[in-house]
Amino acid sequence: MCCLAKVKKMARTQRNKATAHHLGLLKARLAKLRRELITPKGGAGAATGEGFDVAKTGDARIGFVGFPSVGKSTLLSNLAGVYSEVAAYEFTTLTTVPGVIRYKGAKIQLLDLPGIIEGAKDGKGRGRQVIAVARTCNLILIVLDVLKPLGHKKLIEHELEGFGIRLNKQPPNIGFKRKDKGGINFTATCAQSELDGETVKSILAEYKIHNADITLRSDSTADDLIDVVEGNRVYVPCIYVLNKIDQISIEELDIIYKVPHCVPISAHHQLFTRYTKPKGQLPDYTSPVVLPDGHTAVEDFCLKIHKNLLKELKYALVWGSSVKHNPQKVGKDHVMDDEDVIQLVKK
């Protein structure tokens, strides 16, 4: 049975305690088939391919992953000063483009990976090579076009998951030790909602493992057990970079800020953040006001919030690098720096 047929069979199976054993077995078979599909043939040299084998340098490696033409190349150019061919059409970058930045003394390698496509985990296009490089990263930046559905986020996560990359997760708290004899010794230190002794044994049998000690130290799933048995998963922190926010409204931006692990940016247009400080309160660093380069005066700040606010403005108090002392009383023409804090005083 092929991968697609097994996925369809799993989808038709209703999830309950009675079918957990059957689903666990199907998941184990699917994981094995997928491993065989994505394992490069012809030796280790076939894992990357021309233009993908980039030597790992520095103290850490960050990979830019995303669909074609979401702004990865522009972001790399702005951060590291490295030119990666940029154009307003898809599939501009065809090989891995490296760059380097330094942060607090650390040398960080940045990789602009070619745009992946749906089906990458199954070997479609050059997705296999792209995701193989992503597995070697210490941090993954998934770059998304904010104008397109956030469903792209789910699609990319699905592709990476299918290649054994676990984003923003910790390894399952499962003890697994093979042994020569004695059968399967199953122990659970807490209540289990999905796995039981029979399901664990059937999953291990699919891998021809008949002698092992299994200890579940948390409420675990069949997927967790399979990840441990496969032993080739990588657990990588991930940040979702939503690009082109200069093309959406402030209300839409407020919604985006609520997405976990999300950083809104505009790679093509440099943006600056300003923080508000209500009178008698601490600055609000959770909801910055984002202003484009060249429009960072107090007047621009007021208009960004509400068009009538400028008419009511008496003066503003500013803390930050744009003033000589903190706070400093300024007028509407004062130009603020990035991450300044501002308090408006009305007439």
Side-chain angles (χ1 to χ4, degrees):
M1 188 183 294
C2 67
C3 283
L4 181 59
K6 288 187 181 296
V7 171
K8 290 181 178 179
K9 188 175 181 180
M10 287 170 55
R12 290 195 302 266
T13 305
Q14 294 186 2
R15 295 176 180 272
N16 54 53
K17 195 72 175 180
T19 61
H21 169 77
H22 180 60
L23 281 172
L25 190 59
L26 286 175
K27 287 179 178 180
R29 291 175 180 171
L30 180 62
K32 286 179 60 181
L33 288 171
R34 184 165 287 153
R35 170 162 41 89
E36 294 170 2
L37 179 65
I38 64 179
T39 299
K41 299 178 182 179
T48 54
E50 183 180 355
F52 286 85
D53 192 11
V54 178
K56 193 171 185 177
T57 62
D59 302 293
R61 167 180 276 193
I62 300 177
F64 294 42
V65 178
F67 281 101
S69 300
V70 293
K72 301 189 305 298
S73 300
T74 303
L75 183 57
L76 178 68
S77 299
N78 289 342
L79 289 174
V82 174
Y83 176 74
S84 174
E85 187 177 351
V86 179
Y89 51 85
E90 298 187 346
F91 301 104
T92 309
T93 305
L94 300 177
T95 59
T96 301
V97 179
V100 174
I101 61 171
R102 293 185 180 275
Y103 179 72
K104 293 185 177 180
K107 187 178 179 182
I108 302 174
Q109 184 181 43
L110 307 180
L111 298 180
D112 173 18
L113 300 175
I116 70 171
I117 56 177
E118 191 172 357
K121 69 181 186 307
D122 300 321
K124 188 175 181 181
R126 282 182 141 179
R128 180 187 300 174
Q129 295 97 321
V130 174
I131 303 179
V133 176
R135 284 177 60 93
T136 69
C137 295
N138 303 102
L139 172 68
I140 291 177
L141 297 185
I142 294 182
V143 185
L144 301 166
D145 186 340
V146 77
L147 297 177
K148 297 182 179 179
L150 287 180
H152 279 192
K153 172 177 174 289
K154 291 293 183 183
L155 288 174
I156 293 175
E157 288 173 340
H158 184 64
E159 298 302 323
L160 297 178
E161 287 269 335
F163 212 88
I165 299 176
R166 302 294 178 257
L167 303 174
N168 296 324
K169 293 181 180 178
Q170 294 296 323
N173 195 1
I174 297 176
F176 171 55
K177 183 180 180 181
R178 294 174 184 259
K179 55 186 183 181
D180 296 329
K181 57 183 179 179
I184 302 297
N185 182 24
F186 170 71
T187 305
T189 61
C190 61
Q192 300 294 313
S193 59
E194 181 174 328
L195 293 179
D196 55 23
E198 182 183 0
T199 304
V200 169
K201 289 180 180 179
S202 66
I203 292 175
L204 294 178
E206 184 64 30
Y207 289 91
K208 294 180 172 57
I209 300 173
H210 305 288
N211 300 285
D213 292 331
I214 296 291
T215 305
L216 306 182
R217 303 187 185 94
S218 62
D219 189 7
S220 305
T221 65
D223 291 318
D224 292 334
L225 179 59
I226 291 168
D227 282 353
V228 171
V229 174
E230 286 278 344
N232 61 355
R233 307 315 194 214
V234 292
Y235 297 84
V236 186
C238 173
I239 295 175
Y240 302 95
V241 180
L242 273 70
N243 192 19
K244 306 178 184 179
I245 62 168
D246 52 297
Q247 300 181 34
I248 63 173
S249 67
I250 191 67
E251 291 78 15
E252 292 170 316
L253 184 59
D254 288 339
I255 296 174
I256 289 172
Y257 268 112
K258 297 176 183 178
V259 179
H261 310 292
C262 170
V263 178
I265 69 162
S266 176
H268 191 66
H269 299 282
Q270 189 173 7
L271 297 179
F272 298 88
T273 56
R274 306 296 182 274
Y275 300 103
T276 57
K277 182 187 179 302
K279 186 176 181 180
Q281 300 180 32
L282 293 173
D284 182 6
Y285 292 110
T286 61
S287 301
V289 176
V290 181
L291 300 174
D293 188 18
H295 299 276
T296 59
V298 172
E299 178 179 4
D300 300 310
F301 179 89
C302 294
L303 293 174
K304 183 76 173 183
I305 297 176
H306 196 280
K307 60 182 180 180
N308 292 329
L309 188 56
L310 187 61
K311 300 176 182 178
E312 303 172 358
L313 179 69
K314 185 176 182 181
Y315 61 87
L317 296 174
V318 174
W319 292 256
S321 58
S322 70
V323 293
K324 295 181 179 180
H325 52 85
N326 293 302
Q328 181 173 321
K329 183 178 176 181
V330 300
K332 66 180 181 66
D333 296 325
H334 175 76
V335 177
M336 296 180 290
D337 289 343
D338 191 27
E339 297 189 350
D340 275 2
V341 175
I342 181 172
Q343 176 182 316
L344 302 178
V345 179
K346 297 181 179 180
K347 296 176 181 177

